[in-house]
Amino acid sequence: MDQVGQLLLWSYVPKTAADFLIQQYYKGRDRNEPQFQRNYRIVYALVVCVMLGYNFYSAYTKLPPNYYHLLDARVDSSASHLRARYRELSLIHHPDKTGEGQHYLLIRQAYDTLKDPMLREAYERLGHVVCTECRTLRDFLVGQIPGILLYYLITGFLMGVLYFSGIMTYFVYWRAVLLLSMFSFELTTIFGNNALAGLFPSLPRFQLVLLAREAFSIFTLAVNQLGPVFFPHERMDHTLYLYEIEKVAQTTLAQSEAMFQRAVEPVKGNTELGSKLVSRMEQIGSELEILGSNEALRKKVFEKAK
């Protein structure tokens, strides 16, 4: 599922499912009881966890077949075992027997790559990479660094856009930490040791990286849904801050107007006093304007005030 589809799915399904389940649970019961909010949060969290597990499982099962799958072999298979599997499968899927050569060509491509120790190592770390100028494993690895950096730069930029647009505003700090951890994990998996080899023995390193990227996207969407339910008063939304500032400004303005009205109340009906007050206010305004435009004079006034 593409990122836009996932975003739409996570925006509507958790709340819709949780509302439906809580309605069924509270059918004929009092929703004003103290436990209602707690029960709703529990139901909402369970829905999110189910969706999280389903999306991760779906991402795992939808990984495209790798070369080891095509040869029906394990990632740690020996060269002799790969050769035996290729010979057996090439006899079964040869175009002279099946009349269709596409699968046979894939098997041949898989074996041609995995029979070469250097190409096999490059494939396990990076996947199928076309590089006619690469002669060593280092050439393959160095050539992929710009693509890795570009992915994380774009991901970080999109996270910033979603934050400032008010779509994803919870756990911003921890999502950034998780993204940096993902970057470190990817570099370690590709250029160093495979820490998850025992957990996913059927996947080469490059598919572990793809699965980790997908898991990061899913987890980010999941925690963003939990934030408003569990921490409704900690929403880090700049639009709400602006709204609160506007409310304070309006309140302050209203208070200032009321104070001004009370201050000029004695002047009402007295033309002479009113004219003097207007004249004095105009004079103060002119002095403030002059003071604001004259740096030397402003410093002099401040020094006298001290």
Side-chain angles (χ1 to χ4, degrees):
M1 184 181 296
D2 61 2
Q3 300 298 321
V4 176
Q6 278 192 351
L7 184 60
L8 293 175
L9 182 70
W10 280 94
S11 297
Y12 295 102
V13 172
K15 186 177 186 308
T16 303
D19 289 346
F20 173 77
L21 291 174
I22 205 70
Q23 284 177 4
Q24 299 303 310
Y25 179 76
Y26 271 90
K27 186 176 292 185
R29 300 178 59 181
D30 184 15
R31 294 193 180 190
N32 294 321
E33 65 179 16
Q35 294 83 8
F36 176 77
Q37 290 297 329
R38 185 201 63 182
N39 292 337
Y40 181 81
R41 286 194 291 267
I42 292 174
V43 171
Y44 197 94
L46 289 174
V47 170
V48 169
C49 288
V50 169
M51 286 188 61
L52 186 64
Y54 170 77
N55 277 264
F56 182 80
Y57 176 77
S58 178
Y60 175 74
T61 56
K62 289 180 180 179
L63 286 172
N66 57 58
Y67 286 170
Y68 292 99
H69 289 153
L70 291 173
L71 295 175
D72 195 19
R74 292 173 55 89
V75 174
D76 57 355
S77 297
S78 63
S80 59
H81 180 71
L82 291 175
R83 183 167 57 252
R85 293 299 305 149
Y86 167 68
R87 289 176 177 175
E88 181 180 346
L89 292 172
S90 62
L91 290 175
I92 297 174
H93 297 283
H94 197 278
D96 292 342
K97 289 187 176 181
T98 62
E100 191 275 323
Q102 184 64 32
H103 192 66
Y104 173 78
L105 292 176
L106 290 175
I107 294 173
R108 177 68 180 271
Q109 183 183 33
Y111 179 68
D112 286 344
T113 300
L114 299 181
K115 72 179 181 180
D116 185 301
M118 190 269 291
L119 292 179
R120 178 178 180 176
E121 187 70 19
Y123 173 77
E124 287 187 2
R125 294 172 183 264
L126 305 172
H128 179 67
V129 177
V130 178
C131 181
T132 57
E133 299 178 355
C134 296
R135 297 291 180 265
T136 64
L137 177 61
R138 183 177 181 276
D139 294 336
F140 279 98
L141 295 176
V142 171
Q144 295 305 303
I145 292 177
I148 296 172
L149 293 176
L150 182 63
Y151 169 81
Y152 283 95
L153 287 174
I154 292 176
T155 302
F157 172 76
L158 291 177
M159 287 173 59
V161 170
L162 291 173
Y163 167 71
F164 284 107
S165 62
I167 297 176
M168 303 184 73
T169 55
Y170 284 91
F171 309 108
V172 177
Y173 171 78
W174 292 110
R175 282 207 303 272
V177 170
L178 184 59
L179 182 65
L180 292 175
S181 301
M182 270 286 304
F183 179 62
S184 176
F185 164 78
E186 184 163 337
L187 292 181
T188 303
T189 302
I190 293 176
F191 297 97
N193 298 322
N194 184 3
L196 299 181
L199 190 59
F200 298 96
S202 64
L203 298 181
R205 300 187 187 201
F206 79 93
Q207 286 196 319
L208 285 175
V209 169
L210 294 177
L211 188 61
R213 288 182 178 183
E214 191 70 21
F216 170 76
S217 299
I218 297 169
F219 183 77
T220 298
L221 292 170
V223 297
N224 192 66
Q225 289 299 312
L226 292 174
V229 176
F230 284 85
F231 307 99
H233 302 299
E234 296 183 11
R235 182 175 176 83
M236 298 297 293
D237 189 344
H238 68 285
T239 56
L240 292 183
Y241 287 147
L242 293 176
Y243 175 68
E244 292 296 328
I245 292 172
E246 184 182 359
K247 287 203 303 183
V248 172
Q250 290 176 349
T251 303
T252 304
L253 180 60
Q255 291 175 348
S256 300
E257 290 179 351
M259 291 174 63
F260 180 78
Q261 291 292 338
R262 287 196 297 269
V264 299
E265 187 69 30
V267 183
K268 288 183 178 180
N270 192 324
T271 306
E272 183 179 356
L273 269 178
S275 300
K276 288 182 179 181
L277 179 61
V278 171
S279 177
R280 181 54 181 158
M281 291 179 66
E282 289 177 350
Q283 182 182 355
I284 292 173
S286 301
E287 291 174 354
L288 290 174
E289 186 176 352
I290 295 172
L291 182 63
S293 60
N294 192 320
E295 180 69 22
L297 181 60
R298 187 163 62 250
K299 288 182 178 179
K300 188 176 181 180
V301 172
F302 288 157
E303 288 174 358
K304 287 184 177 180
K306 291 179 181 179

